[in-house]
């Protein structure tokens, strides 16, 4: 897992410092508080040691402890990673024509995910969504609103992620809605299941080669 290069690790490029990074740091703290608070027990249980985190190495998470409908936020390469245990209802919603007709890239044609997550759920296992929690507009952290709601956070909400900075909307698979400021779907990081119940973020499945640096936009 070690790297001799501060900007790359295992073929994965670390982000350049940019205005978007600054905005993420400046605005992310408030938006992420609620989600992170519920995740603390899991993070403490599964966190790698400090040197691994500092090097940006892979991070493991036991997803068996995430109840259906809940989301845990872990940190990988200084970025929030949303891990959502989808309910059967949510998985059904992902294929609802009413939803699909409102999305900018419903079939994930833009390279915002690895090939092994280019499918109807943008994930390896349909019941677990894994997303980089950074809005593709200017880098805020979208807020998790999994349940449909008539008025909150906006009218006729179908469930998913809402970015409070400028109102971008994403579905529960991180697909962006049409007509909002964000141009692309939320990125999916490289990840794999190292056991039935443990995911490793930062590593491709065995036999897959994919460079996170090749995504269209973070
Ligand atoms: S940063 Fe998310 S909508 Fe602008």
């Amino acid at each position: 897992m070690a790297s001799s290069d501060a900007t790359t690790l295992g073929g994965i490029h670390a982000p350049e410092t940019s205005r978007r990074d600054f905005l993420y740091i400046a605005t992310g703290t408030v938006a992420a508080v609620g989600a992170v608070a519920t995740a603390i027990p899991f993070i403490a249980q599964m966190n790698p040691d400090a040197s691994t985190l500092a090097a940006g190495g892979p991070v493991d998470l036991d997803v068996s402890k995430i109840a259906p409908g809940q989301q845990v936020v872990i940190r990988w390469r200084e970025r929030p990673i949303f891990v959502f245990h989808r309910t059967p209802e949510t998985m059904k919603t992902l294929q609802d024509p009413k939803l699909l007709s409102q999305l900018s890239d419903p079939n994930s044609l833009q390279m915002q995910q690895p090939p092994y997550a280019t499918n109807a759920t943008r994930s390896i296992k349909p019941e677990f969504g894994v997303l980089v929690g950074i809005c593709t507009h200017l880098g805020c952290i979208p807020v998790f609103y999994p349940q449909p709601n008539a008025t909150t956070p906006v009218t006729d909400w179908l469930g998913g992620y809402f970015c409070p900075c400028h109102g971008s909307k994403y579905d529960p698979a991180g697909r962006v809605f049409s007509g909002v400021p964000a141009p692309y779907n939320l990125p999916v990081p490289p990840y794999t299941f190292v056991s039935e119940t443990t995911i490793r973020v930062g590593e491709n499945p065995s036999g897959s080669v994919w460079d996170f640096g090749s995504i269209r936009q973070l």
Side-chain angles (χ1 to χ4, degrees):
M1 293 181 193
S3 171
S4 57
D5 183 339
T7 61
T8 61
L9 180 76
I12 299 172
H13 298 283
E16 302 282 338
T17 300
S18 68
R19 174 175 147 74
R20 295 179 73 247
D21 290 328
F22 169 77
L23 288 170
Y24 148 56
I25 293 165
T27 60
T29 307
V30 173
V33 165
V36 169
T38 61
I40 286 172
F42 300 112
I43 292 171
Q45 182 185 347
M46 300 298 290
N47 248 359
D49 61 36
S51 61
T52 301
L53 269 182
V59 180
D60 289 359
L61 178 69
D62 180 0
V63 296
S64 70
K65 296 192 167 52
I66 310 174
Q70 284 192 333
Q71 174 172 279
V72 162
V73 182
I74 59 175
R75 190 168 53 124
W76 173 67
R77 298 191 155 213
E78 301 302 323
R79 299 179 175 119
I81 304 295
F82 297 162
V83 183
F84 176 24
H85 188 170
R86 299 168 177 145
T87 62
E89 294 74 31
T90 296
M91 287 188 278
K92 196 172 164 195
T93 298
L94 294 181
Q95 316 233 28
D96 184 344
K98 179 184 170 191
L99 169 67
L100 296 177
S101 68
Q102 298 181 51
L103 301 177
S104 176
D105 182 14
N107 297 314
S108 299
L109 298 180
Q110 298 284 354
M111 179 59 83
Q112 286 290 95
Q113 62 287 312
Y116 48 83
T118 304
N119 51 45
T121 60
R122 302 187 76 226
S123 59
I124 295 174
K125 293 188 180 187
E127 64 270 38
F128 289 106
V130 182
L131 299 167
V132 178
I134 299 178
C135 182
T136 60
H137 181 218
L138 290 174
C140 291
I141 299 179
V143 181
F144 182 49
Y145 288 94
Q147 295 298 328
N149 192 288
T151 57
T152 306
V154 293
T155 306
D156 292 332
W157 179 248
L158 296 174
Y161 301 90
F162 179 73
C163 184
C165 292
H166 313 96
S168 289
K169 302 183 290 182
Y170 302 87
D171 84 340
R175 294 175 295 188
V176 70
F177 279 67
S178 302
V180 300
Y184 300 112
N185 295 340
L186 293 179
V188 175
Y191 75 98
T192 185
F193 279 82
V194 292
S195 74
E196 267 305 300
T197 57
T198 301
I199 64 165
R200 177 168 294 161
V201 176
E203 194 172 291
N204 290 309
S206 175
S208 294
V209 177
W210 183 67
D211 182 357
F212 184 55
S214 68
I215 64 165
R216 182 73 187 263
Q217 180 173 306
L218 181 61

